[in-house]
Amino acid sequence: MSTQIIQWYPGHIAKAERQLNLSLAKVDLVIEVRDARIPRSTSHPCLQKWIKNKKHLLVLNRRDMIHSTSLSAWDNWFRQQGQKALWCNAKDGTGTKQIKEAAIQLGQELNDRRKSRGMQQRAVRALTLGFPNVGKSALINRLVNRKVVQSSRRAGVTRSLRWVRVGQQLDLLDAPGVLPSRLENQEAALRLALCDDIGQASYDVESVAIRFLRIIEQCEQPRFSIKPCHVLEQRYGIKLKEAKQNAHLWLKSAADHHTSGNTNRMAQRLLDDFRKNLIGPISLELP
Ligand SMILES: Nc1nc2c(ncn2[C@@H]2O[C@H](COP(=O)(O)OP(=O)(O)OP(=O)(O)O)[C@@H](O)[C@H]2O)c(=O)[nH]1
Ligand SMILES: [Mg+2]
């Protein structure tokens, strides 16, 4: 991307990072949550520094928002890097049982060590860490099978730390999402904006929608699945050909049809539909 369209680092994120640094001392395990659509862009550069010698679980959430072929490709890639990815859908609960079991298993290992040193056993303390809106709070609610923490569509919902007990063996700490203070790569910033991981105050909705249309044009999906550009065409009745020539033209035509010519509202609708998974599974990053 040639021009910088996305600016951020709101004050509440700086506060979130300070809170995070204080709470890290109190936990044994970091459950890192990333967005399956953008596993690279939701990997925080400070992660290794934060984890140090703590236990670590890597969770890829929103598995329902990508195609199974992309999931397998990423899963293999992580394996090659010596990492095991736990895939889940924190909205309907798929894969969350395995996360709970893995956390408890790591807690057991910690307790075995404590026991061998003559110390009392206790529940493992885990912190959910990740970018805003990746689904950390939704995951916690799934792990306890109750709505105990607030979870909703916009980034920056969780503003303070909150401990949640999951049975006798696991204590979870819900924390606000964190972002790197600087992001040199504007392509990654665009993907974070598309996935609603950064607040809308940081960018111009129309510019982001135009760039999304250009991604859609080139989007290669696995064989037998409908191409996202065809989904767009079916959904909004605007031919792909127009978008191919000019994403601005597509937005204008779609706005004429659906939002009384208001391109800003149309841009918002397009992004909302993507975020609600109405344009089909789209991997914005592949290994
Ligand atoms: N489709 C789908 N939606 C999900 C999934 N996980 C979470 N969501 C939705 O994504 C939205 C954001 O979830 P949150 O749990 O608030 O995300 P968070 O990481 O806690 O966000 P912050 O507190 O802002 O950092 C909610 O509307 C969830 O219902 C998932 O796996 N699939
Ligand atoms: Mg939250």
Side-chain angles (χ1 to χ4, degrees):
M1 200 180 300
S2 53
T3 51
Q4 177 131 343
I5 60 160
I6 296 156
Q7 325 257 353
W8 84 77
Y9 207 55
H12 69 84
I13 296 286
K15 184 174 163 227
E17 194 170 326
R18 284 196 298 278
Q19 286 183 328
L20 184 82
N21 274 308
L22 290 174
S23 48
L24 272 163
K26 300 180 195 138
V27 302
D28 316 298
L29 165 68
V30 170
I31 302 179
E32 183 201 0
V33 186
R34 297 194 204 172
D35 184 329
R37 292 168 297 177
I38 47 172
R40 242 191 317 273
S41 296
T42 48
S43 154
H44 201 292
C46 296
L47 188 86
Q48 286 312 322
K49 184 185 88 185
W50 286 330
I51 295 179
K52 276 195 207 130
N53 43 15
K54 293 185 196 306
K55 303 268 182 191
H56 171 222
L57 283 180
L58 171 64
V59 171
L60 273 295
N61 188 39
R62 302 185 179 276
R63 60 172 295 165
D64 55 310
M65 300 182 98
I66 63 167
H67 199 277
S68 56
T69 315
S70 312
L71 190 154
S72 300
W74 271 114
D75 200 56
N76 285 335
W77 185 85
F78 280 116
R79 243 177 255 280
Q80 282 161 17
Q81 312 298 309
Q83 269 189 304
K84 173 154 174 51
L86 295 163
W87 296 86
C88 76
N89 171 349
K91 200 167 178 180
D92 75 358
T94 310
T96 51
K97 191 166 156 249
Q98 286 83 343
I99 296 168
K100 189 167 165 178
E101 285 167 0
I104 289 173
Q105 167 70 38
L106 290 175
Q108 193 56 52
E109 288 171 23
L110 285 167
N111 270 322
D112 288 347
R113 277 226 309 271
R114 290 174 67 84
K115 204 171 157 191
S116 68
R117 292 191 210 135
M119 293 160 83
Q120 287 238 322
Q121 305 214 8
R122 59 159 172 77
V124 60
R125 296 175 189 143
L127 165 76
T128 52
L129 190 153
F131 280 57
N133 209 37
V134 292
K136 302 176 294 300
S137 301
L139 174 62
I140 290 185
N141 288 336
R142 276 288 161 193
L143 293 173
V144 285
N145 280 325
R146 253 171 327 126
K147 188 164 180 196
V148 283
V149 287
Q150 211 191 338
S151 161
S152 69
R153 266 193 61 208
R154 293 278 171 237
V157 172
T158 305
R159 288 292 170 106
S160 53
L161 298 164
R162 169 95 191 271
W163 280 103
V164 175
R165 172 141 274 207
V166 188
Q168 296 293 302
Q169 292 164 290
L170 181 60
D171 283 330
L172 289 170
L173 182 58
D174 190 22
V178 280
L179 292 166
S181 55
R182 273 151 54 92
L183 205 80
E184 308 293 353
N185 181 345
Q186 276 282 300
E187 289 300 330
L190 170 68
R191 292 190 283 266
L192 289 167
L194 285 174
C195 296
D196 222 359
D197 293 353
I198 50 180
Q200 289 213 162
S202 313
Y203 55 88
D204 171 55
V205 171
E206 244 177 275
S207 311
V208 167
I210 292 291
R211 282 163 209 265
F212 177 59
L213 286 167
R214 291 189 184 137
I215 292 173
I216 293 284
E217 277 164 24
Q218 286 149 25
C219 203
E220 286 300 328
Q221 286 296 300
R223 231 148 60 96
F224 308 124
S225 75
I226 307 175
K227 281 186 164 184
C229 52
H230 292 152
V231 180
L232 269 196
E233 195 175 321
Q234 280 168 12
R235 190 169 174 80
Y236 306 102
I238 314 293
K239 284 240 180 312
L240 142 87
K241 238 178 20 187
E242 292 168 57
K244 206 154 215 163
Q245 286 157 4
N246 193 336
H248 286 276
L249 239 172
W250 189 94
L251 193 64
K252 177 81 183 60
S253 309
D256 288 342
H257 278 76
H258 303 286
T259 54
S260 317
N262 186 324
T263 47
N264 197 56
R265 261 175 48 216
M266 187 59 223
Q268 187 67 62
R269 183 183 292 191
L270 178 67
L271 296 184
D272 283 345
D273 285 355
F274 165 65
R275 292 159 181 170
K276 288 185 202 154
N277 215 8
L278 297 174
I279 308 180
I282 298 177
S283 282
L284 294 173
E285 290 173 350
L286 287 170

